[in-house]
Amino acid sequence: MADIVLDHITKRFPDGRVAVDDLSLAIADGEFVILVGPSGCGKSTTLNMIAGLEDITAGELRIAGKVVNHLAPKDRDIAMVFQSYALYPHLTVRRNMAFPLTLAKRPKEEINRRVEEAARLLGLTEHLDRRPAQLSGGQRQRVAMGRAIVRSPRAFLMDEPLSNLDAKLRAQMRTEVSRLQRRLRTTTVYVTHDQTEAMTLGDRVAVLRSGRIEQVGTPAELYSRPVSVFVAGFIGSPAMNFLPATLEHGELRTPFGPIAPDDRLRRLLHRWDGAAVGRRSLVVGIRPEHFEDATLPTVRDRPGPRFTITVDVLEPLGSDTYAYFTLKDDRAPAAGLAELAPGEAGLSGPAGQVVARLDPTSRLREGERAEIWLDTSHLHLFDPSTGRSLDAGPG
Amino acid sequence: MAAATATRTAGRAASAQPRRRRRSAAPARVLLGWSAANLVIVGVALVPLLWLVSLSFKTPASITDGSFIPNEWTLENYRGIFRQSLFTRALLNSLGIALISTALAVALGSMAAYAIARLEFPGKRLLVGMALLIAMFPQISLISPLFNLWRILRIFDTWVGLIIPYLTFSLPLAIYTLSAFFREIPWDLEKAAQVDGATPAQAFLRVIAPLAAPGMVTTAILVFIFCWNDFLFAISLTSTERSRTVPAAIAFFTGASQFAQPIGSIAAAAVVITVPVLVFVLLFQRRIVAGLTSGAVKG
């Protein structure tokens, strides 16, 4: 058990490419921290540096207070789970899991006891004498986990461990990883590009963007107070809707019509340095769940703008209904939006498409006009030139 | 215009009939052609070998009778060569030199191949290029310099004197074959071994080497055959029974008398040294083919 401190870590590859740029992050003992971001953001490189598989160009990495920059991976006492599982194909499950203990020259009885304990924990007991090739994807994933936990390392590093599993198994293993970590209370750094895993697994989530940390916080913080368009668009599924707005006479002019700012928004706008230099355009971010079918009794009497749209596509999921509609105005041009890989955050749709998450009792129909209500108390405002949230202060 | 099109269509329709018939006849004819070609090639390759076997079982008197199947069978040729220290000692030399060269080539070759497959280091391309260059070098042009050099270094007519040139020519082969095998082992396995607490040497010995074992076996067989069959170095760099290998020793066979030709003994010796290679190749033929092609085509 140990804490891990990344102190102004930089990784520059021999070809000059900077993969990780001055990254600082303190991971407490027993904490479950997620590094999340689109591909190429440096999250795997960061993990490899913690493991010792990549050299650190600059900065200091401390595990349990000790600088380990130049320690070989084997001397760091950490375990890693790879995306490919990296099971040794020529060894049985038992010997795969025993491998770290065998290398550490532990007594045979201890190895047996610990392997069997881990196997029981992961439901692998009856597979101990099989080879990895004879196992299913989920079982292989479990063996990889078993190999990591069997020697009680100071920390677990997991590099997209679930991304090779099918959706159902992934959800199942996600809860299992979570349960395992809660039970063992071992410091864990988990890399993923899947925002669902990030939101559900971690104590804290660090969103990475081109080698830098964009925001660190609990999943709830990231969701409710994203510091930038990038984080806002990455966290949450379906993704936040971004729409252009202008500030005129103290009123927000949006494609839905004017919105009179409430106290919170007024305070944000007042603090905004853009207003001081005479800029008027903003980006408004709205989570899909802050729309509602205006005809529903739950929202009939609530204040807030109502507007009429035509539903393009309706996706009834049972628990929710997603309604897609298009607004005349273009998609908000904001710094950071383009970097979200297409498809990854649901931004691949046509320009100006908005998604609303409605109550399943809603009677909307595809192709028909409908009245939508907007809850303005959860609006996010971003500066289009920097992509930063007005709530985040200067970035 | 329309008429022309019509005739063309008609012509096509007419020609379609015989073409279809020809297509059904074609595979049979192709099969026949290939079988005939194969038979010719197998015959050309096998007849001399079988003749050799036949000669080795003939008595000295009947050796020139020209019949393919011996009229009088005898094992005297085999008994004869095993009675001579010229042959038995040479067999020992051959085995020793070939086995040592093979072991060294595989050990050194796998280290070099591993580095080439896994690491980026300055001069890597140069190294690979040089290895290829050496493999291409005409061996005959090396004989005179080596002969002089070996005498000065006092390793002429020793096992070492043969092992060194064998290594020179088999290492490039070993490096090329093995690096193709190493490249196919996922790098993650090695990273996993390192994180699991292995030193680089342990990671290589416990994880990478077992996985590359098929490649090593293939390489070993190819190198062994090369060393086992060599005549050029063996005849030029040896002078006594101390280190003379079988291919060279056969040239020194003499007949029973001054006027008798040692054809029977030569044939018997040739058969004896062919057998181990033959057994090897038959046992591992799939592997050898994989090894020979693995550098060229991925997968």
Side-chain angles (χ1 to χ4, degrees):
Chain A
M1 299 272 175
D3 62 319
I4 299 171
V5 178
L6 292 90
D7 196 354
H8 297 282
I9 296 278
T10 294
K11 173 71 190 180
R12 195 174 295 108
F13 283 111
D15 60 6
R17 194 166 56 85
V18 177
V20 177
D21 189 7
D22 196 33
L23 185 145
S24 293
L25 181 65
I27 299 157
D29 186 12
E31 198 179 15
F32 196 151
V33 168
I34 312 278
L35 303 180
V36 67
S39 45
C41 70
K43 54 194 192 300
S44 286
T45 311
T46 307
L47 200 71
N48 283 343
M49 283 193 288
I50 300 174
L53 297 169
E54 299 256 18
D55 292 330
I56 297 168
T57 315
E60 233 178 48
L61 173 67
R62 291 189 293 271
I63 299 179
K66 223 177 94 210
V67 179
V68 295
N69 280 35
H70 299 291
L71 228 51
K74 72 182 181 67
D75 301 319
R76 296 191 185 192
D77 191 19
I78 41 176
M80 189 156 170
V81 178
F82 293 82
Q83 182 179 356
S84 63
Y85 315 141
L87 301 178
Y88 310 121
H90 58 299
L91 302 179
T92 58
V93 169
R94 181 190 299 278
R95 291 185 57 202
N96 256 289
M97 284 169 55
F99 190 75
L101 297 173
T102 322
L103 285 174
K105 300 209 166 56
R106 310 310 291 248
K108 253 207 183 78
E109 322 79 274
E110 186 194 333
I111 295 180
N112 274 338
R113 180 171 53 76
R114 286 165 79 166
V115 166
E116 260 148 41
E117 207 175 276
R120 206 165 34 246
L121 194 63
L122 292 162
L124 285 170
T125 310
E126 66 267 46
H127 304 300
L128 273 177
D129 294 310
R130 299 167 80 183
R131 298 268 165 117
Q134 298 165 294
L135 302 179
S136 70
Q139 289 164 341
R140 284 181 212 185
Q141 212 285 329
R142 259 181 258 243
V143 177
M145 301 283 297
R147 194 173 61 187
I149 65 174
V150 78
R151 69 188 159 124
S152 321
R154 293 197 292 186
F156 294 140
L157 306 179
M158 304 196 188
D159 191 357
E160 311 208 7
L162 307 182
S163 56
N164 280 356
L165 301 175
D166 61 60
K168 195 174 171 191
L169 208 51
R170 195 182 312 160
Q172 188 190 329
M173 282 309 289
R174 201 169 61 214
T175 27
E176 220 161 297
V177 168
S178 183
R179 194 176 302 134
L180 204 63
Q181 204 274 344
R182 293 225 149 77
R183 179 164 166 179
L184 301 168
R185 273 286 143 209
T186 305
T187 315
T188 305
V189 186
Y190 185 108
V191 161
T192 181
H193 64 263
D194 181 317
Q195 65 89 28
T196 318
E197 283 175 26
M199 293 296 283
T200 51
L201 283 175
D203 295 327
R204 274 195 309 154
V205 178
V207 181
L208 268 71
R209 174 189 171 195
S210 1
R212 290 167 168 275
I213 289 187
E214 187 90 354
Q215 186 174 5
V216 190
T218 62
E221 271 167 23
L222 293 190
Y223 191 79
S224 57
R225 292 187 67 191
V227 299
S228 65
V229 168
F230 182 81
V231 176
F234 198 84
I235 300 291
S237 174
M240 189 186 275
N241 300 294
F242 297 105
L243 298 156
T246 47
L247 184 60
E248 271 164 52
H249 311 297
E251 213 180 44
L252 281 170
R253 296 277 162 87
T254 70
F256 309 114
I259 297 172
D262 58 11
D263 284 350
R264 184 182 67 93
L265 294 179
R266 207 172 293 125
R267 219 170 27 249
L268 290 180
L269 288 167
H270 185 70
R271 271 205 332 235
W272 181 40
D273 48 4
V277 295
R279 282 195 286 124
R280 308 215 156 275
S281 51
L282 283 162
V283 171
V284 176
I286 307 162
R287 294 263 179 223
E289 64 267 33
H290 298 139
F291 292 103
E292 194 50 273
D293 179 357
T295 58
L296 288 181
T298 45
V299 299
R300 200 171 290 150
D301 304 323
R302 293 182 62 178
R306 278 148 219 272
F307 51 95
T308 313
I309 48 96
T310 308
V311 179
D312 294 335
V313 178
L314 208 62
E315 292 179 349
L317 299 182
S319 59
D320 301 294
T321 298
Y322 293 149
Y324 294 83
F325 52 93
T326 323
L327 293 164
K328 303 185 290 294
D329 226 312
D330 272 0
R331 188 186 337 185
L337 255 187
E339 264 176 68
L340 294 164
E344 202 143 89
L347 285 171
S348 55
Q353 177 163 293
V354 175
V355 54
R357 194 170 112 194
L358 308 176
D359 195 277
T361 56
S362 158
R363 299 277 173 115
L364 295 195
R365 292 236 193 100
E366 255 173 48
E368 284 183 6
R369 298 186 68 75
E371 200 182 21
I372 297 283
W373 169 81
L374 169 65
D375 182 358
T376 54
S377 61
H378 292 98
L379 280 194
H380 298 265
L381 294 177
F382 301 96
D383 185 328
S385 60
T386 60
R388 306 282 301 175
S389 167
L390 265 52
D391 206 358
Chain B
M1 180 74 188
T5 319
T7 20
R8 225 180 292 142
T9 323
R12 213 176 291 151
S15 69
Q17 204 58 31
R19 202 185 294 153
R20 200 173 303 141
R21 215 175 298 142
R22 214 179 302 145
R23 211 177 295 146
S24 67
R29 212 180 304 158
V30 166
L31 195 72
L32 198 72
W34 277 110
S35 309
N38 283 341
L39 275 177
V40 168
I41 290 168
V42 169
V44 165
L46 267 187
V47 164
L49 193 75
L50 291 176
W51 199 304
L52 201 71
V53 175
S54 145
L55 283 177
S56 74
F57 287 110
K58 286 181 176 177
T59 57
S62 66
I63 211 137
T64 51
D65 64 0
S67 70
F68 192 75
I69 295 160
N71 294 319
E72 301 168 53
W73 290 80
T74 174
L75 284 174
E76 192 46 42
N77 291 321
Y78 289 93
R79 281 194 212 104
I81 56 169
F82 278 103
R83 268 198 298 269
Q84 297 176 51
S85 73
L86 178 66
F87 181 74
T88 51
R89 175 67 212 201
L91 203 57
L92 202 68
N93 288 336
S94 260
L95 263 179
I97 290 170
L99 285 177
I100 293 173
S101 304
T102 305
L104 284 175
V106 171
L108 296 176
S110 46
M111 288 183 218
Y114 182 64
I116 286 168
R118 281 285 188 266
L119 307 174
E120 278 305 325
F121 53 88
K124 175 169 149 178
R125 283 166 154 271
L126 190 75
L127 184 82
V128 175
M130 290 290 280
L132 197 64
L133 194 74
I134 290 168
M136 303 276 178
F137 211 82
Q139 304 178 355
I140 191 87
S141 61
L142 280 178
I143 292 298
S144 317
L146 276 184
F147 179 75
N148 283 325
L149 203 62
W150 270 202
R151 282 202 309 176
I152 295 165
L153 293 174
R154 298 179 177 284
I155 52 171
F156 179 76
D157 195 24
T158 60
W159 279 24
V160 180
L162 277 183
I163 289 171
I164 292 174
Y166 287 170
L167 275 183
T168 316
F169 283 96
S170 57
L171 263 180
L173 176 78
I175 290 172
Y176 264 81
T177 318
L178 282 168
S179 62
F181 275 94
F182 281 133
R183 252 192 290 271
E184 276 167 28
I185 298 174
W187 203 338
D188 269 357
L189 286 181
E190 202 182 330
K191 290 185 184 170
Q194 281 184 36
V195 175
D196 280 345
T199 61
Q202 280 174 320
F204 180 77
L205 288 176
R206 286 171 165 255
V207 176
I208 305 300
L211 293 176
M216 291 188 181
V217 172
T218 311
T219 311
I221 292 167
L222 291 174
V223 171
F224 183 84
I225 292 174
F226 166 76
C227 302
W228 185 257
N229 285 346
D230 173 75
F231 176 71
L232 186 63
F233 290 111
I235 196 79
S236 319
L237 301 177
T238 62
S239 60
T240 65
E241 277 182 20
R242 201 147 68 97
S243 63
R244 192 177 283 142
T245 60
V246 177
I250 291 175
F252 289 87
F253 280 4
T254 50
S257 73
Q258 198 183 336
F259 304 103
Q261 287 289 325
I263 292 173
S265 326
I266 290 176
V271 171
V272 168
I273 66 164
T274 311
V275 168
V277 176
L278 211 65
V279 169
F280 259 147
V281 171
L282 287 180
L283 278 180
F284 295 100
Q285 58 173 330
R286 272 169 179 279
R287 289 263 165 88
I288 292 173
V289 171
L292 286 173
T293 55
S294 63
V297 187
K298 205 190 166 293

